[in-house]
Amino acid sequence: MPRRRSPSSSSATGDRSGGSAVTPRNRTPQPVRIRRRTFGDFVKAFFAFVALLVLVVGVPAALATVAGWPLPRTFEPMEWLRADVSVQTFQSILVFFVWLAWAQFTACVLVEMKAALSGVGVPGRVPGAGPSQLLARQLVAALLLVGAVAGSFTPGLSQLGQGIEGNQQATAATAQQTPGLFAQQQEQAAGAAAALAEQASHAAAQAEAGGGTAQRDDTKFYRIQPPEGRHHDSLWEVAERHLGDGRRYKEIFALNKDRTQPDGSKLSEASLIRPGWIMEMPGDARGGDLVEMPDDAPEVSPDVQQQIHDYARTGEHAQGGGGGAAQVSVPEQRPAPEQHPAPAADHAGHQQPAPAPAPQHATPAQDTSSSFGLPEALLTAPLLAAGLLGALGHRRRQALWQSAFGAVGGRRGMEPPTPEGDAQDVQDALLVGADPEGVRLLDRSLRGLAASLAAESRALPVVYAAWLSAGDLHLQLAQPAGKPPAPWRLGQDQTFWTLAKDDAGGYEDVDTAAPYPGLVSLGTMDDSRLLLNLESVPGIVSLSGSEADRAAVFASVAAELATNGWSDRMTVTLVGFGEDLTPLAPNRLRHLDDIEALLETMEAETRQRRGALGAAGHDSVLTGRTGPARHTRWAPQLVLLAAEPSAEDAVKLAELAADASRLGIGYLVGTGSGDLPGAAWEMEITGEGKLLAPLLGLELDAQLLPAAQQRAVVELFVAADPDRGPDGPGPVNTPPFLVDISEQGRPAVYARLVGPYEIIGLDTPDGERSALLHEALALLLLHREGVHPRVLSSALWPRGVTDDVREALLDRLRAWLGTDPDGTPRLGTDRTGRLTLAQSVVSDLDVLRSLYHEATQGRGVDSRAVRGRLLTDALVLVRGPLLADRPEGRYRWLTHEIVDAQLPLLVADTGLALSAFHLEKGRAEKAIEALDAALRTAPADERLWNELLRATHALDDPSRLTALAADLIGRGGARGLPPRTEALLDELLPAWRDAVGSAAAG
């Protein structure tokens, strides 16, 4: 897997100016030699074995023989208290503590032995066992020093006497060896100072060893030597010889991890190295058996020279990165399963496997063709598209319900406005690009982790970022936080917690607050999607670049924060946005006019949060987010400042942001110069869509929302605003497609969608293709305005499909539907290239809409008889829910639709209209029949229940009305009756509470 390392400042400058990368200087190679085991090493190992044998086996044997078992044979506390205190009592207590010390030392030996033999990670700490664990470590190290498994992790006996804390102190290379995002930010100020001091000591050692012969810009190599006897070369010993500290083996490991070795294999574990492998060394390495860039290396064989040359080309120093710089790499990924092309005969079957694994940087429904005019920015932003699509559907459903209950005067339509132009393209792009399943897994995984940590009484770790790689989730922590709860596991190092996609599917919804609501997508790198946790940044995140490019990044960040599915509550403050994005989420987004208003607002918010944290006794919002107040406090405050602040305002922002990460406040600030006071992380957006962070080692394909798509997205949300009245000519409730409901309008193809799916007028396709063709036809029938080819293919194949598979399906669909008598194909395309059905292909939903429209706005307005007949015919068409017998796992695109809200409302309106028709003539029983029929499809519609109460009251039968009231109360459960229903009962049956209580008691 590719690795990335941020270039040094000089090389980064050179890259911008077009200069060449820094080229390592050639040095005269030195002959290769290895350190052999001496007789003293074997003597140390023998005495270590004897000491361990005495301490682990001899001590308990002696205690058992002389003093016996330390615990009493019976458990009688009262007898113990009454017994006399004698010398024997003190001896028993002393023996008990000796047994306890032995048990602690034995545990230390086991921990150290396990770590040494496994070769993975740093040994765990046994509580309260500082000196004991140090002694155990030295004895185990000496014992295994002559073996093949211990060298990479255990120091020699020469280090005896150093404290455990000293052994565990972070070196200057900690940030360098930690793959992932923002490694250098993992150390606080004290850690940074220690790192600088250690670097200074290394520089001094270089000067003593030969002045300028080992500069940071040099690139040196070491060749792993073959074993001699029982001695095997190890990274620990290499680091000890050439870097002065065996613990710096991690730097060597980080420089060479996943690079192809001469034998074709790769380094994946620090303890698993092979003779003949080549290791690139840090720039300050020194010693006689190192080989520098061997352009002129007579002491090294030509074969070895060529191997080192080839190996050097795989390193990032070849691109200008100096050795020892802090690096960032994406998490380790599991190998993708091999994909085999499907045979041609299966092109139309849904058994067709995805042509390639769906990478996180691409749309889940990846097509190999062009975008057909759809905006690529949304096609390649699956999480953003899913959030926008979900929020838009929620807004449209809200508008439907408000319209149905008369909350918006004059707007009674069952259909949302049909978008056109850019808005239509953007809506199609959202349908194609959205990955709602990925959002659901991310949300459940994060909440499940929070619930597990809370159950273990553990605080949430600080998370800098999340990576989505091939469906797996990797959380990058600010610092190690121990072992994660299952099914999470440690990743490539202690700062990564990883959850496999298959394990994430096992999570269910849990009642806990969103732990990391500030995560937001920035872009992709190496097939991995990066989500930055804005609220955890220790300061300001600055974004430089042209104003238009910055605006596209800011709009993407704001839109995703406003609509994502892994957050509960937050406030996103927007300043300096050309297009006001607040219509996307008025409850989350807050627009301020200028920086002055922002500073005033955030000063008050910072003071309030500091006081609240102090009063609650929490160190940070993370410790309070899983507590009892998790649903009412500690929601993040995220500031997106697109306008460049003045120097004075920048200083004030830096002061506010100094403690922001603890308070759950994040700042993303735009700047034209790239130099912003208080910026903890600096990023740059280029005109080519690259998001660069040189000091962090990031080069992402940025996630953007350009101005044109931003305006179109806002237009979709404004048009769906439930508080926005109708505009434009014509009635607002006219369906987009009306059919001829007379005898002359009999269709050639009739599909029954309301209830079990049936098709009349077409032959049934063969078994393999029938399900897919039926699903495609259902999608087209529900969108008479036209369906984009990519929307159709993404609906049928969410994981992706190739051009030939899609075209084969369309050809079979055209052949199946056939042509009209005049030769016109029943499946055609409009001027925009969208697929449309001929008017001779009709569904019962089309007929239902047309009957209701004709009864309430057409001929039924002037003719009572016609109105009653049309409404009765419409209600007869309702046989159940939409596509009632659809197969499990298919028709998932229905989750993006609002037809599940439209159909119940349409049926309810039809039932209400027919009930009113019958009540006009006093036919209460007929009205009740119509309402009961509508309630089978829309059982939650309060309007139907209220009208049913009125119709039952018209029967003048109090007992029947009381029974209906009791039924309503039972349906309401703990929530009780809706206020309007309760008020209606007070009017129709004033004593209903007593009557219902008596009926229930009887």
Side-chain angles (χ1 to χ4, degrees), residues 344-350 765-774 809 812:
D346 293 338
H347 278 171
H350 63 268
D766 61 67
E768 290 184 359
R769 296 162 183 158
S770 177
L772 205 61
L773 292 174
H774 277 69
L809 170 73
R812 291 189 177 94

Side-chain angles (χ1 to χ4, degrees), residues 28-336:
T28 303
Q30 301 294 331
V32 177
R33 56 183 176 82
I34 62 171
R35 175 182 179 272
R36 301 180 179 178
R37 292 299 184 198
T38 63
F39 177 74
D41 293 333
F42 290 96
V43 172
K44 291 179 182 178
F46 173 75
F47 282 112
F49 172 76
V50 172
L52 285 173
L53 188 64
V54 170
L55 292 173
V56 175
V57 180
V59 169
L63 287 173
T65 301
V66 176
W69 183 249
L71 299 178
R73 301 294 181 182
T74 60
F75 184 74
E76 298 178 354
M78 298 305 299
E79 293 296 330
W80 300 346
L81 293 176
R82 297 191 189 101
D84 295 334
V85 178
S86 62
V87 175
Q88 183 65 29
T89 303
F90 286 105
Q91 289 178 348
S92 299
I93 293 173
L94 180 60
V95 169
F96 173 78
F97 279 106
V98 174
W99 274 104
L100 189 63
W102 169 82
Q104 184 187 59
F105 177 78
T106 303
C108 294
V109 171
L110 295 176
V111 168
E112 295 294 329
M113 187 71 74
K114 177 181 180 297
L117 293 175
S118 66
V120 179
V122 178
R125 296 190 62 182
V126 178
S132 296
Q133 188 164 4
L134 175 61
L135 176 60
R137 178 176 303 170
Q138 307 305 329
L139 292 174
V140 169
L143 177 62
L144 300 179
L145 195 62
V146 296
V149 294
S152 24
F153 290 100
T154 52
L157 283 175
S158 59
Q159 295 177 333
L160 186 61
Q162 299 179 5
I164 264 191
E165 298 300 330
N167 285 340
Q168 294 182 346
Q169 182 181 1
T171 67
T174 300
Q176 299 173 8
Q177 65 86 28
T178 305
L181 179 63
F182 317 133
Q184 74 273 22
Q185 295 295 338
Q186 295 176 10
E187 299 296 332
Q188 301 299 324
L196 292 174
E198 189 162 351
Q199 290 177 6
S201 67
H202 291 163
Q206 290 179 37
E208 293 177 2
T213 60
Q215 299 299 321
R216 283 283 179 185
D217 287 339
D218 293 338
T219 303
K220 305 179 182 68
F221 296 89
Y222 176 83
R223 193 162 183 262
I224 303 300
Q225 299 303 305
E228 182 173 322
R230 295 188 61 192
H231 167 246
H232 291 249
D233 216 347
S234 67
L235 293 186
W236 180 283
E237 292 182 334
V238 173
E240 193 172 54
R241 291 197 303 270
H242 301 295
L243 300 175
D245 186 349
R247 291 169 295 175
R248 292 186 66 189
Y249 77 90
K250 298 177 181 180
E251 296 179 59
I252 307 174
F253 176 69
L255 284 172
N256 298 276
K257 183 175 179 294
D258 292 331
R259 292 169 64 177
T260 302
Q261 293 291 336
D263 62 0
S265 54
K266 295 181 180 180
L267 173 67
S268 59
E269 296 289 345
S271 60
L272 301 178
I273 59 176
R274 300 177 184 176
W277 280 10
I278 297 168
M279 297 289 117
E280 180 180 343
M281 301 291 289
D284 62 336
R286 59 189 182 275
D289 53 352
L290 294 177
V291 176
E292 298 183 18
M293 293 298 287
D295 290 342
D296 300 305
E299 292 86 351
V300 179
S301 68
D303 290 342
V304 174
Q305 290 185 30
Q306 186 60 45
Q307 289 177 5
I308 297 178
H309 265 301
D310 295 341
Y311 187 75
R313 295 193 186 100
T314 68
E316 290 164 12
H317 66 276
Q319 283 77 38
Q327 69 176 29
V328 175
S329 67
V330 296
E332 292 179 347
Q333 303 179 31
R334 295 177 300 166

Side-chain angles (χ1 to χ4, degrees), residues 561-727:
L561 289 174
T563 61
N564 73 58
W566 55 87
S567 303
D568 293 326
R569 299 168 53 249
M570 70 169 65
T571 300
V572 183
T573 302
L574 312 179
V575 183
F577 279 72
E579 294 288 336
D580 190 355
L581 291 171
T582 50
L584 272 60
N587 295 331
R588 281 194 185 184
L589 296 179
R590 173 178 58 184
H591 189 274
L592 298 181
D593 294 331
D594 51 36
I595 300 178
E596 183 179 354
L598 172 67
L599 292 174
E600 181 180 353
T601 301
M602 295 314 298
E603 285 174 357
E605 179 67 23
T606 301
R607 285 195 303 270
Q608 187 274 333
R609 292 207 166 206
R610 284 174 178 162
L613 279 178
H618 296 308
D619 296 330
S620 71
V621 296
L622 288 180
T623 58
R625 193 164 282 166
T626 55
R630 64 182 183 271
H631 293 298
T632 57
R633 290 186 182 181
W634 321 125
Q637 284 266 4
L638 304 175
V639 175
L640 306 182
L641 176 55
E644 183 173 7
S646 65
E648 181 180 356
D649 291 337
V651 172
K652 293 179 181 178
L653 279 175
E655 294 173 353
L656 289 173
D659 197 26
S661 60
R662 187 176 69 90
L663 304 176
I665 302 175
Y667 293 88
L668 178 62
V669 181
T671 173
S673 62
D675 185 13
L676 190 69
W681 299 335
E682 297 178 347
M683 299 185 181
E684 177 188 359
I685 180 65
T686 69
E688 293 75 29
K690 295 291 185 180
L691 189 63
L692 309 177
L695 298 180
L696 305 177
L698 290 178
E699 182 178 338
L700 303 172
D701 294 322
Q703 180 172 293
L704 307 172
L705 186 59
Q709 283 80 60
Q710 181 183 342
R711 287 191 295 269
V713 167
V714 172
E715 180 182 340
L716 288 173
F717 277 80
V718 170
D721 188 352
D723 297 324
R724 177 176 177 264
D727 54 6

Side-chain angles (χ1 to χ4, degrees), residues 833-912:
R834 288 174 171 82
L835 302 168
T836 58
L837 291 174
Q839 293 194 0
S840 59
V841 183
V842 173
S843 73
D844 56 354
L845 186 57
D846 297 327
V847 177
L848 176 61
R849 287 172 175 145
S850 300
L851 288 170
Y852 176 76
H853 179 267
E854 190 68 18
T856 57
Q857 297 186 47
R859 291 179 295 133
V861 174
D862 300 324
S863 173
R864 172 180 169 78
V866 170
R867 182 167 73 254
R869 178 175 56 81
L870 293 175
L871 291 173
T872 302
D873 290 344
L875 210 54
V876 168
L877 290 175
V878 181
R879 301 174 299 121
L882 187 76
L883 297 167
D885 58 351
R886 60 181 180 266
E888 184 178 358
R890 302 212 63 86
Y891 296 85
R892 293 182 178 179
W893 46 270
L894 282 173
T895 59
H896 300 316
E897 307 285 342
I898 63 169
V899 68
D900 61 333
Q902 290 173 302
L903 178 60
L905 288 176
L906 178 58
V907 173
D909 278 0
T910 304
L912 290 170

